[in-house]
Amino acid sequence: MTMLWKTTRYQVDLSQPQVMGIVNVTPDSFSDGGQHADTASALRHAEQLLKDGAHILDIGGESTRPGSPAVPLAEELARVVPLVREAVKLGVPVSVDTYKPEVMAAVLDAGAD
């Protein structure tokens, strides 16, 4: 039986494993040490993740590293929205890791799934 997950732009076949590539646009990311803190390097990282086999991209603009400070709304928007605008052109579903409704609305407007 085929299980499909419908995003805004795609139908993802969940009968096969799907790999999510994580793109953290934060200077204090615990997973990549802040290597992709600007839009250009984050986009290059996203492209490499896709070349390496990722099927979905997940973008984060606020570190979840224990003890990391909360990021102001304007700063999170400045980090993730430009990247989402570019990442949606790569031909895969794009999600955004956030708890802020304003960020959710902005990235949906920018094309995130």
Side-chain angles (χ1 to χ4, degrees), residues 6-113:
K6 182 149 176 42
T7 74
T8 305
R9 302 173 300 140
Y10 297 96
Q11 285 193 43
V12 179
D13 182 357
L14 297 180
S15 64
Q16 298 292 320
Q18 302 294 311
V19 176
M20 179 177 279
I22 307 299
V23 183
N24 291 313
V25 194
T26 60
D28 59 346
S29 172
F30 69 89
S31 65
D32 63 28
Q35 295 178 24
H36 314 293
D38 64 88
T39 301
S41 63
L43 186 60
R44 284 192 303 272
H45 180 58
E47 291 168 338
Q48 186 61 52
L49 289 168
L50 296 176
K51 287 178 187 171
D52 291 343
H55 303 100
I56 303 166
L57 294 172
D58 184 62
I59 298 170
E62 181 170 11
S63 178
T64 56
R65 177 181 46 82
S68 61
V71 173
L73 174 61
E75 188 171 341
E76 186 175 353
L77 288 168
R79 290 176 181 179
V80 299
V81 171
L83 179 57
V84 168
R85 285 188 183 124
E86 295 304 314
V88 298
K89 299 174 186 176
L90 298 176
V92 299
V94 175
S95 64
V96 176
D97 181 6
T98 186
Y99 61 88
K100 296 177 181 128
E102 299 90 347
V103 175
M104 293 174 200
V107 298
L108 287 171
D109 287 345
D113 297 285

